[in-house]
Amino acid sequence: KAGVTQTPRYLIKTRGQQVTLSCSPISGHRSVSWYQQTPGQGLQFLFEYFSETQRNKGNFPGRFSGRQFSNSRSEMNVSTLELGDSALYLCATQEAVNTGELFFGEGSRLTVL
Amino acid sequence: GENVEQHPSTLSVQEGDSAVIKCTYSDSASNYFPWYKQELGKGPQLIIDIRSNVGEKKDQRIAVTLNKTAKHFSLHITETQPEDSAVYFCAASLSGGSNYKLTFGKGTLLTVNP
């Protein structure tokens, strides 16, 4: 099976722009979660989607949003980028909700200048 | 919400020595405790996990112990090898409910010196 695929792997944006990141889960995985990883804060939960519905959301401002498509692929969007949004954004998938193991992609590294 | 503290933030050992990483959690309802290893340039990968109905679990050179009373769990790596060098994250969650999310510790950078 192919692993979790995230695109793009690297991107540079300037303050005020918006960005969309994509995640293709492992075949058969219907739950997709997003995490932000920074050196100071570690891994922080953004949101989780299952069957195109957001089931849980972390403590991030409304500038961070996401969606899931019928084929389980997910996108997350960050609008009005700030310098502090520079981070590695990780997507993690599960076969079903609450089964335990998360399978992570390699992440999308966003740099905001 | 859940809060997970992880110590130490960095750990350097000699090849063949043991390494221990400790975590505490705040929510007594948490019942699932995974450990993830993240190598440079890669996403985290599950190496071992434990559920609250078990006190200890072992898989070859790695083991995890859980003390529910103290809300404390630890990762033990024996006979460390250079390829064990990575960042290790502990996490806690309430598994089984509709609101599933992992709360991670801030990570431990383990360096195994040959």
Side-chain angles (χ1 to χ4, degrees):
Chain A
K1 274 187 180 177
V4 178
T5 304
Q6 291 190 245
T7 57
R9 290 291 314 279
Y10 303 91
L11 66 168
I12 300 173
K13 294 285 187 178
T14 56
R15 281 179 297 176
Q17 288 187 310
Q18 67 94 27
V19 66
T20 299
L21 308 177
S22 178
C23 172
S24 293
I26 293 171
S27 177
H29 285 201
R30 298 170 61 194
S31 169
V32 177
S33 300
W34 289 89
Y35 288 82
Q36 182 196 64
Q37 185 175 20
T38 58
Q41 297 300 318
L43 282 151
Q44 292 188 289
F45 175 78
L46 282 155
F47 25 66
E48 187 248 342
Y49 287 87
F50 181 79
S51 292
E52 302 177 66
T53 300
Q54 186 181 89
R55 295 180 64 91
N56 200 8
K57 191 176 189 305
N59 297 321
F60 280 82
R63 301 185 296 107
F64 292 81
S65 63
R67 58 178 176 168
Q68 186 180 33
F69 302 95
S70 58
N71 61 357
S72 294
R73 190 177 71 86
S74 177
E75 289 182 347
M76 67 163 283
N77 183 276
V78 189
S79 62
T80 320
L81 285 166
E82 300 176 359
L83 295 179
D85 297 333
S86 294
L88 181 67
Y89 290 88
L90 290 161
C91 167
T93 74
Q94 283 186 325
E95 189 168 356
V97 179
N98 305 331
T99 54
E101 181 173 4
L102 291 179
F103 292 83
F104 283 86
E106 295 190 328
S108 294
R109 183 165 296 281
L110 170 65
T111 301
V112 182
L113 303 176
Chain B
E2 176 66 274
N3 182 51
V4 177
E5 300 282 341
Q6 181 172 348
H7 299 280
S9 56
T10 61
L11 180 60
S12 181
V13 300
Q14 290 299 121
E15 183 177 358
D17 287 351
S18 295
V20 180
I21 303 170
K22 298 182 179 182
C23 291
T24 59
Y25 61 99
S26 62
D27 189 346
S28 56
S30 290
N31 60 5
Y32 176 63
F33 308 93
W35 286 87
Y36 282 81
K37 174 184 180 182
Q38 186 175 28
E39 297 176 341
L40 198 61
K42 304 218 170 155
Q45 183 174 14
L46 179 73
I47 54 170
I48 195 167
D49 57 9
I50 192 168
R51 298 187 184 270
S52 59
N53 58 346
V54 175
E56 184 173 358
K57 184 176 178 181
K58 195 171 182 180
D59 183 4
Q60 299 183 342
R61 295 186 297 109
I62 59 173
V64 58
T65 59
L66 171 65
N67 182 328
K68 284 190 296 182
T69 303
K71 289 188 278 188
H72 169 276
F73 58 114
S74 301
L75 177 72
H76 304 254
I77 306 174
T78 58
E79 300 171 17
T80 53
Q81 300 167 5
E83 50 265 39
D84 294 329
S85 296
V87 179
Y88 291 80
F89 292 95
C90 62
S93 80
L94 178 59
S95 179
S98 61
N99 293 324
Y100 178 77
K101 64 175 182 178
L102 287 178
T103 301
F104 285 87
K106 293 196 175 176
T108 297
L109 173 61
L110 173 65
T111 304
V112 180
N113 301 299

